[in-house]
Amino acid sequence: MSSAGTVITWWGHATCTVEDSGTRVLTDPLFVRRFAHLRRRRGALPTAEAARADAVLISHLHSDHLHLPSLSRLAPDTLVVVPRGALRAVPALRRFRTAELAADETLRVGALTVRAVHAEHDGRRLPIGPHRCPALGYVVEGASATYFAGDTGHYDRMAETVGPIDTALLPVGGWGPNLGPGHLDAGRAAQALAELDPRHAVPVHYGTYWPIGLDGVRPHEFHAPGAEFVRKAAVLAPKVAVHRLEHGESVRTEDAR
């Protein structure tokens, strides 16, 4: 595959913009300084530029990935792509222009094809209601192929499921002192990277939000995952160019080696 000028911007947590072939896709937008028990500890809030998108990809229904007030900042005609069953589980989504996908289903967004893939994660809207809804990752294919993993643990045949990709946006941490099941830490993310074998990788889902009042509890879990992923990826996947972005920073994968 050829990565002809795809631009990746990391806004913090799991919020990224993928710009490819003149089309902009935004992942799991979270535009607030504080919500529930979490506070943004690092990085400025995303600028108005972050809310400019042709489509938004929602990986699962947890409130740090499906955040309704942040979706309300988008233009009214922005397409919001959600896991199949999300509209039943979260009826408030019906006020947006939505499309539901299941794993292996595809959708055209401008010049891009968006393919949903399995994610190993509990995707329910906890603690609201019993409705189960799968968690997803997405492969955005245009001039290049970019994999947004959402929240996921490692699973068998992961590389086969995702398919050939140029860039992987991989979660390497979380928002609290401990990661539960269905997550990748820096080491497991590096192992997944070695299997996926892209040309580029960007670590996400770390170093942004943290529980209020727990700043001094295992602080390395907040600060360290990005750098740790870079170190471990250099050993396990040395041919992959890893770009550890600051909040709001972009990389054009065509130019980055």
Side-chain angles (χ1 to χ4, degrees), residues 145-164:
T146 301
Y147 169 47
F148 168 63
D151 262 359
T152 187
H154 182 268
Y155 57 89
D156 291 340
R157 303 174 70 182
M158 187 177 190
E160 180 181 338
T161 297
V162 173

Side-chain angles (χ1 to χ4, degrees), residues 15 23 26 35 64 79 89 106 133 143 155 166 173 191 209 223 253:
T15 306
T23 303
L26 177 67
F35 75 102
D64 59 322
L79 179 65
T106 62
C133 189
Y155 57 89
D166 295 293
Q191 293 171 358
Y209 291 92
H223 295 286
T253 57

Side-chain angles (χ1 to χ4, degrees), residues 2-257:
S2 170
S3 62
T6 301
V7 177
I8 308 296
T9 304
W10 182 51
W11 302 105
H13 202 53
T15 306
C16 303
T17 294
V18 179
E19 187 167 5
D20 184 340
S21 304
T23 303
R24 290 171 61 93
V25 172
L26 177 67
T27 65
D28 289 353
L30 191 53
F31 294 156
V32 293
R33 185 161 300 283
R34 176 176 172 174
F35 75 102
H37 63 300
L38 300 181
R39 174 174 60 90
R40 191 176 181 108
R41 286 189 60 202
R42 192 165 72 194
L45 289 176
T47 65
E49 178 74 4
R52 186 171 67 85
D54 298 289
V56 172
L57 308 180
I58 301 298
S59 62
H60 62 290
L61 305 189
H62 294 171
S63 60
D64 59 322
H65 294 260
L66 171 58
H67 187 251
L68 295 170
S70 293
L71 289 180
S72 296
R73 289 183 49 184
L74 305 170
D77 61 343
T78 304
L79 179 65
V80 179
V81 182
V82 295
R84 189 166 300 284
L87 294 178
R88 179 170 177 249
V90 187
L93 277 169
R94 298 182 186 277
R95 70 176 186 262
F96 302 101
R97 178 182 168 227
T98 59
E100 292 188 321
L101 288 182
D104 301 322
E105 294 183 336
T106 62
L107 178 73
R108 289 291 292 180
V109 177
L112 307 178
T113 297
V114 174
R115 175 168 54 91
V117 298
H118 172 75
E120 192 69 20
H121 191 71
D122 183 348
R124 289 176 295 174
R125 184 69 163 179
L126 300 174
I128 305 170
H131 302 307
R132 291 191 175 274
C133 189
L136 297 175
Y138 296 94
V139 178
V140 179
E141 298 180 88
S144 68
T146 301
Y147 169 47
F148 168 63
D151 262 359
T152 187
H154 182 268
Y155 57 89
D156 291 340
R157 303 174 70 182
M158 187 177 190
E160 180 181 338
T161 297
V162 173
I165 54 173
D166 295 293
T167 302
L169 311 180
L170 291 179
V172 301
W175 52 251
N178 298 291
L179 283 175
H183 292 89
L184 296 174
D185 62 12
R188 292 191 295 269
Q191 293 171 358
L193 182 67
E195 296 177 19
L196 293 165
D197 193 29
R199 296 176 63 235
H200 302 275
V202 176
V204 302
H205 204 268
Y206 78 100
T208 309
Y209 291 92
W210 202 250
I212 295 167
L214 294 185
D215 290 9
V217 179
R218 295 174 62 86
H220 61 283
E221 298 292 351
F222 179 84
H223 295 286
E228 185 178 352
F229 174 71
V230 171
R231 290 194 300 271
K232 294 190 174 185
V235 175
L236 296 177
K239 295 182 180 180
V240 181
V242 178
H243 312 286
R244 184 163 69 93
L245 302 179
E246 298 297 331
H247 295 77
E249 188 176 7
S250 302
V251 61
R252 181 182 295 271
T253 57
E254 175 187 41
D255 302 330
R257 295 291 184 268

